[in-house]
Amino acid sequence: MTLSTKHLLSIGDLEPQDILNLVARAAELKAGWLSGYRPRPLNDKTVALIFQKASTRTRVSFEVGTRQLGGTSLFMTDRDSQLGRSEPLRDTARVLSRYVDAMVVRTFGQEILSELAAYASIPVINALSDSSHPCQVLSDLLTVRERRGRIEGLAYAWIGDGNNMAHSWLEAAGHLGLDLRLACPAGFDPDPRVVEVARARGGRILLTRDPRQAAAGADVLNTDVWASMGQEGEADQRRQAFAGFTVDAGLLALAAPGALVLHCLPAHRGEEISDEVLEGPQSVVWQQAENRLHMQKAIMEALIG
Ligand code: CP
Ligand code: NVA
């Protein structure tokens, strides 16, 4: 399988069919791994993981996924590379392009990824930026498909911050024509340009201040931390602003019977989600985390293999 883009900087870079193909391929790789299917499209290939923020799931799933596909990964941070001493991104991109076969980058501004991609001759994959988290949402779509047998025709609720995850969900909703209701407190809405594009592409997008309105009848309830990486200094102020936005048993009771609860993790129990819901029978967060591995493999096979 190939994708209609060289880089994966956001879900908006993909065509709708790319999304469905990636989900299908990730499911195939997942089932195949258990039954001994071992394709090695990354044989003799090296993937650089450049992480300017912390990570557990994304780093480990890309590292293990690279290994399972026959390749080698190397992990870099600001602390131990010249990136931390202000070597220009465009120089880093051109140098790394001569050593490795792809760059997986977790960073701050989306423009950092765009600049790396503009100067790299190898694929650049967004492993989370301040404004999007495409690999996570692609793998979440796989989780929904596994649990519900389909992605389309369901009602999705986003409760909380209009952040990087919300943006990638909006892009997915636009591409696939999904019904997505977002409840965000005033001042924490998603970027209106992302909302506009999602609507123009066919997403049925509702923005509300009322978590109950978003949750009512939803098939999937989705949330994320109130203070993302880089916003730690705003945590107290955000805790106040997000009061009433906890995904708890009361909110879940308004959703469709058997609704799925998604959280990309790490979670702050008692803030954006209650312990009871996170640990409860409708939570699919461990399957969601597991699927990161299979989706990373599908993405790397398509872009690098
Ligand atoms: N969900 C996610 O991206 O987790 P990490 O920050 O641990 O990679
Ligand atoms: N919105 C969160 C997601 C973490 C995986 C953050 O950016 O920190």
Side-chain angles (χ1 to χ4, degrees), residues 10-185:
S10 73
I11 288 189
D13 289 349
L14 299 169
E15 293 299 328
Q17 193 58 46
D18 291 328
I19 300 176
L20 300 175
N21 290 346
L22 282 169
V23 169
R25 183 59 181 156
E28 223 167 71
L29 289 168
K30 181 176 181 179
W33 185 258
L34 299 173
S35 59
Y37 171 54
R38 298 282 188 275
R40 295 174 70 85
L42 299 194
N43 195 26
D44 288 338
K45 306 231 184 247
T46 306
V47 179
L49 306 180
I50 305 171
F51 277 51
Q52 300 185 304
K53 292 177 178 170
S55 171
T56 297
R57 282 144 287 269
T58 309
R59 173 186 177 173
V60 175
S61 56
F62 268 110
E63 291 214 27
V64 173
T66 302
R67 180 75 63 92
Q68 290 186 357
L69 295 178
T72 306
S73 62
L74 59 91
F75 184 73
M76 299 168 61
T77 69
D78 280 355
R79 285 188 301 284
D80 45 34
S81 71
Q82 301 290 4
L83 274 169
R85 296 178 60 249
S86 307
E87 181 165 17
L89 293 168
R90 57 187 185 280
D91 296 2
T92 304
R94 286 174 287 187
V95 171
L96 289 184
S97 293
R98 289 166 161 80
Y99 299 139
V100 302
D101 300 283
M103 279 186 264
V104 174
V105 183
R106 171 166 285 199
T107 190
F108 295 88
Q110 188 77 16
E111 71 286 352
I112 295 173
L113 290 158
S114 304
E115 184 169 349
L116 287 169
Y119 285 90
S121 57
I122 55 174
V124 177
I125 298 171
N126 178 357
L128 179 146
S129 70
D130 289 345
S131 49
S132 62
H133 198 2
C135 299
Q136 175 75 53
V137 171
L138 287 167
S139 104
D140 294 352
L141 293 171
L142 168 63
T143 306
V144 171
R145 203 190 76 159
E146 286 177 336
R147 289 284 176 149
R148 284 288 175 273
R150 64 199 163 112
I151 291 169
E152 284 132 321
L154 300 172
Y156 293 81
W158 178 266
I159 313 290
D161 195 12
N163 63 10
N164 42 12
M165 282 291 299
H167 289 154
S168 290
W169 269 104
L170 278 161
E171 292 180 343
H175 274 40
L176 301 176
L178 306 181
D179 169 356
L180 173 63
R181 311 90 170 266
L182 301 101
C184 311

Side-chain angles (χ1 to χ4, degrees), residues 211-266:
R212 289 163 305 175
Q213 188 188 1
D219 300 294
V220 179
L221 278 190
N222 201 345
T223 189
D224 185 15
V225 291
W226 291 341
S228 284
M229 289 181 276
Q231 299 170 336
E232 290 81 0
E234 300 170 22
D236 285 342
Q237 175 218 334
R238 283 172 171 264
R239 246 176 244 120
Q240 289 173 23
F242 285 83
F245 282 75
T246 303
V247 175
D248 57 15
L251 201 64
L252 184 54
L254 302 174
L260 304 177
V261 176
L262 298 184
H263 191 311
C264 64
L265 305 177

